[in-house]
Amino acid sequence: MNLLIRNGTVVNADRTEKADVLIDKGKITAVGTGLNSSNSDRIIDADGLLIIPGGIDPHTHLEMPVGEIHTADGFYDGGKAALAGGTTTVIDFVNPLRGQSYLEAFDEWMRRAEKATCNYSFHVTVTWFDRQAAEEMRILTESYGVNSFKHFTTYRDTIMLAPDKMLQSFTHARKLGCLSTVHAENDEIITYLQQKLLAQGITHPKGHALSRPPLAEAEATSRVIALARIARAPLYLVHLSCAGALDAVVAAQLDGQKVYAESLCGHLVLDESVYFAEDRETAAQYVMSPPYRTEKHRQALWNGIASGAIQTTASDNCTFTQSNRNRGLHDFTKIPNGSPGIEDRMRILWDQGVGQKRITEEQFVAATSTNAAKIFNIYPQKGAVAPGSDADIVLWSPTKTHKTSARTHRHAIDYSVFEGMTFTGSPHMTILNGGVVFENDRVEVQPGQGNYIPRRPSA
Ligand code: URP
Ligand code: ZN
Ligand code: ZN
């Protein structure tokens, strides 16, 4: 397929220019003015539209098992939701059980992703660490295309890793040329508060927010930054959500430490008051960790994105059906954690970021694709509209409005945490690997049309 996009404005993270874009066999072959259309199968008029790199969502959980349930969005539906929202690549997570072979778990996740409708790559979670784990991390890096490993400071019963093991894992990952990423919340504070709240008879989902205060995140963030410093390892904080955690990140960055931070689209627009809805079913829909925060923290996150202290934005798309959530209606600690967002992330960033003049159009591109591509070492293959890059492109309308609703979204759940919100700025067309997959508000894509994207370690 050979496409020519004409009359648009190309926006990359470093510049904006009036230019045409030529696509051939899945690659961008030229960007410039007056490009020739003689061999084109299709000429697309992008008048009034921005031509931007396909979004990269560096944090999703598609078809993720949790005990006997799993997230509702799989790689097929979740991929379609991503494409409708302008995201063409996701970096999902392989979560091995404690003691399970990392290679075996990786193969399991690759099988789950066989029907993927968008491009995908995998971080691998370090749930146990010894010589065998270290060897499997090496194999994953050298032969499976993994260059990032995730760690949890919480969820003690399942995937939490002790600080001494984390230090060893950070050191090993650094030697492999890989990036260590962390979900940072203080597990002791959370467990203590959960038990205290339940003992007081607080079983309503609001207990989720009350038991995971910003201080729990700020403390754990400072702690893992210290561990990374001792390990001389680069560090990436997933879903940073509060001012105290951001202060710790900025202090480390100013001190010369390589620390990156990600914020979630949900944390940028939703308020902690959602947990205090009287109706338990409604309040339970918002349970995710860290919880949604107050205005003060949202403002800090936006300032972090604008200043560059926070480099990436993600969805942490992790959808559970209402009936799965209802298992914790009378004990908030039993509600499975996670929110949707894969379809909404870029609209939120544009509407609340560019629309509110918090960030420029170029910063929008940096925060939705380019920075993730650079940090996870797939730039300029991804994250750029440039000759030689993969033809993952979005024709973005800065004026199209979209009202979010569970009735129209592509997620496999029957509620939306963004229900009723209207965002201005939305994809007009999405191109995946050189083919048009979203136009006229319809996603047309085949199962398996998404490619696995291996990522090389850093030198
Ligand atoms: O609540 C969340 N974020 N669920 C997904 C798993 C994780 O912690 O990232
Ligand atoms: Zn997390
Ligand atoms: Zn997550």
Side-chain angles (χ1 to χ4, degrees):
M1 186 69 152
N2 182 323
L3 301 177
L4 175 63
I5 308 171
R6 280 214 298 225
N7 298 325
T9 301
V10 174
V11 184
N12 275 303
D14 56 353
R15 66 173 156 159
T16 297
E17 58 188 324
K18 272 301 244 186
D20 304 333
V21 177
L22 197 56
I23 294 170
D24 192 18
K25 299 186 191 73
K27 293 277 179 195
I28 298 171
T29 52
V31 177
T33 48
L35 295 183
N36 190 329
S37 63
S38 55
N39 307 326
S40 301
D41 298 310
R42 180 171 172 189
I43 298 173
I44 297 166
D45 184 15
D47 187 29
L49 300 170
L50 307 180
I51 305 171
I52 63 171
I56 300 174
D57 188 336
H59 186 157
T60 63
H61 302 276
L62 300 175
E63 204 180 324
M64 179 181 75
V66 179
E68 68 279 17
I69 59 171
H70 58 79
T71 54
D73 290 332
F75 287 85
Y76 179 75
D77 302 303
K80 287 174 88 170
L83 297 172
T87 290
T88 48
T89 300
V90 300
I91 313 183
D92 206 89
F93 293 86
V94 172
N95 281 347
L97 300 171
R98 266 195 198 130
Q100 184 188 11
S101 156
Y102 291 170
L103 306 180
E104 177 191 291
F106 187 92
D107 288 342
E108 243 177 59
W109 255 267
M110 284 296 274
R111 277 196 296 279
R112 290 195 179 107
E114 274 167 11
K115 295 203 172 86
T117 47
C118 70
N119 296 330
Y120 58 98
S121 195
F122 288 113
H123 313 278
V124 174
T125 303
V126 178
T127 52
W128 54 287
F129 188 85
D130 62 10
R131 284 173 64 166
Q132 178 64 26
E135 174 60 5
E136 294 200 11
M137 286 168 72
R138 184 190 66 73
I139 296 170
L140 286 170
T141 303
E142 292 177 2
S143 310
Y144 287 65
V146 174
N147 71 12
S148 48
F149 291 96
K150 179 162 182 203
H151 310 74
F152 284 83
T153 63
T154 187
Y155 303 126
R156 60 175 65 185
D157 295 334
T158 50
I159 46 183
M160 176 172 146
L161 194 69
D164 58 335
K165 297 291 179 190
M166 211 175 277
L167 200 44
Q168 292 170 26
S169 175
F170 286 1
T171 305
H172 184 58
R174 188 250 301 159
K175 288 181 184 161
L176 292 172
C178 294
L179 181 59
S180 291
T181 81
V182 179
H183 170 140
E185 287 183 292
N186 179 311
D187 195 70
E188 289 72 29
I189 292 178
I190 293 167
T191 305
Y192 169 79
L193 290 176
Q194 284 176 336
Q195 288 168 357
K196 187 171 158 193
L197 288 159
L198 289 173
Q200 288 170 349
I202 297 175
T203 57
H204 180 283
K206 70 182 174 193
H208 179 75
L210 296 173
S211 61
R212 305 183 97 97
L215 190 56
E217 183 184 348
E219 187 285 325
T221 302
S222 298
R223 184 170 12 118
V224 297
I225 287 173
L227 295 181
R229 190 177 187 103
I230 296 297
R232 293 186 289 115
L235 180 68
Y236 177 99
L237 276 315
V238 303
H239 51 44
L240 187 126
S241 77
C242 68
L246 181 58
D247 287 346
V249 165
V250 171
Q253 289 170 342
L254 291 176
D255 213 22
Q257 203 175 332
K258 206 169 255 183
V259 178
Y260 305 105
E262 163 195 286
S263 72
L264 304 185
C265 55
H267 284 130
L268 294 170
V269 282
L270 294 173
D271 189 79
E272 134 184 291
S273 55
V274 295
Y275 297 109
F276 294 84
E278 210 170 307
D279 172 40
R280 288 178 183 239
E281 289 206 11
T282 306
Q285 291 169 358
Y286 296 89
V287 166
M288 66 92 59
S289 299
Y292 299 119
R293 306 289 196 195
T294 58
E295 169 63 23
K296 165 187 146 182
H297 298 290
R298 274 195 301 289
Q299 196 47 53
L301 296 182
W302 278 113
N303 291 344
I305 294 171
S307 72
I310 295 172
Q311 296 76 32
T312 63
T313 56
S315 64
D316 195 2
N317 196 88
C318 187
T319 54
F320 292 99
T321 60
Q322 183 75 55
S323 70
N324 283 163
R325 289 185 179 275
N326 288 355
R327 55 175 47 203
L329 285 193
H330 298 286
D331 178 349
F332 65 86
T333 65
K334 296 196 164 45
I335 302 172
N337 287 204
S339 277
I342 205 169
E343 183 169 344
D344 315 284
R345 177 184 68 116
M346 293 179 68
R347 293 188 192 112
I348 291 171
L349 256 287
W350 184 276
D351 180 273
Q352 292 291 301
V354 182
Q356 297 293 319
K357 303 209 182 316
R358 288 163 158 145
I359 56 173
T360 64
E361 296 176 1
E362 291 85 356
Q363 285 178 302
F364 165 80
V365 169
T368 55
S369 67
T370 311
N371 288 349
K374 288 180 177 172
I375 290 169
F376 293 106
N377 211 17
I378 46 173
Y379 181 85
Q381 177 193 355
K382 305 286 183 195
V385 178
S389 295
D390 288 352
D392 292 342
I393 287 178
V394 178
L395 303 193
W396 185 267
S397 166
T399 54
K400 181 175 167 185
T401 61
H402 178 89
K403 186 167 179 179
T404 310
S405 173
R407 287 190 301 283
T408 50
H409 70 192
R410 277 89 181 165
H411 296 283
I413 50 169
D414 48 1
Y415 63 88
S416 169
V417 295
F418 308 108
E419 186 69 38
M421 291 186 175
T422 299
F423 301 115
T424 299
S426 201
H428 169 84
M429 175 183 286
T430 305
I431 296 170
L432 175 78
N433 303 324
V436 175
V437 287
F438 173 75
E439 63 178 322
N440 303 319
D441 285 321
R442 284 178 60 82
V443 180
E444 297 280 354
V445 66
Q446 297 307 311
Q449 204 169 321
N451 292 335
Y452 173 63
I453 309 299
R455 294 175 293 123
R456 285 189 315 278
S458 299

